[in-house]
Amino acid sequence: MVNKNNRVVAVLLSLVMIFTLSACVVDIDFARKGWDGYVDGEQVWENPNYAEDPEPAEEPEEETTEPAEEEETTEAGEEEEETKASKGEKKSSDTKNTSKSSSQQQQKKPSTGTVTKQQSTQGTTKPSSQGTTKAAEKTMSVAEIVDFYKNAANPVKTMSGVKVTRTREKYIELGGNLSGVSASIVKSAFSEKDDTKAVTYTSQSDIKSKFIVEKQSYVCNLTGNDVKSATIAKSGNNQVVTIYVKDDVDQAQGYSNKAVSSTAVSDLAVPLSLGKLKYMACKDVRLEATIDGNGRLIALHTYMPAYFYSTDESFGVALEQWWTISYS
């Protein structure tokens, strides 16, 4: 009896040991569900607790951003920004260098100044902003310059409210071989002088009689064919016209009496016919006229060398005059 009990106990202990040892290696389901009923791969007992459990649904994987990629992106962005900044700094540096180089070149380049040289050959002029008569801003021909002067000067003889003033007059002897009566007449009529006493004329009759050309209804009757040259130049708001008249020929005033005081000089020379001087001609006659922005003559300077001669005697004298013209 004792032996039988001992056997039972031994079997139980063996089972306990087996279960104890197998508990270390079997699945935890053994403790929860018991024996699965398999021996050597064959099922000898069906344990209802091992009914197939439904497979758990797969949980969706969470999309995660790896820190390394963020760091790479950040580093790449920072690198790109650094590259841009570097390029910007380089561009700014290049711009500064270019600006500095340009500035140095400008400093090294000699200044040409701002002095404007007046044009003196067939001059150009700006058109008047008031729409008044004025030389066009173009190259003018000799004939056009002469006409421009005539249009400004001739109304002085016919306009009312005009005042002309001779501010200076000079007689300059040019030499000769006079004797007898001719020498006496010339000495009394054409002795050298420089008269700076102003003489003013305001009535139309006096202006016609005393102002250039004396005793004529015009100040200028020249054409382009009567002059050697004509130029125009800008002077402030004014235009300055300079005309050189052709020399008289054939012992007569063919050109000079159209532009200067030759008629008056000729009258003064009449007494010379009592002597041996019977002819007069002018050479190197010139005039310089200032015309304002309204196309009006405001100043006139004339220079007229006149030569008297006969067969064996001659005499020369230059008459030079300065005039100013004002308008009311």
Side-chain angles (χ1 to χ4, degrees), residues 99-150:
S99 176
K100 183 176 180 181
S101 176
S102 176
S103 176
Q104 290 176 349
Q105 290 179 358
Q106 291 178 357
Q107 290 176 358
K108 291 180 179 179
K109 185 177 181 180
S111 174
T112 58
T114 58
V115 178
T116 302
K117 184 178 180 180
Q118 289 187 345
Q119 296 179 351
S120 59
T121 57
Q122 316 297 332
T124 59
T125 60
K126 290 185 178 180
S128 171
S129 59
Q130 294 88 5
T132 57
T133 303
K134 202 169 185 180
E137 189 176 8
K138 64 175 184 177
T139 300
M140 300 176 68
S141 67
V142 169
E144 288 174 331
I145 295 174
V146 171
D147 287 341
F148 177 61
Y149 167 61
K150 290 167 65 176

Side-chain angles (χ1 to χ4, degrees), residues 17 22 58 70 97 105 109 124 142 160 164 187 227 233 255 264 266 284 294 318:
M17 289 178 64
S22 63
E58 295 182 357
E70 289 183 354
N97 291 336
Q105 290 179 358
K109 185 177 181 180
T124 59
V142 169
S160 59
V164 298
K187 184 176 181 180
V227 304
Y255 303 112
S266 178
D284 300 321
N294 294 316

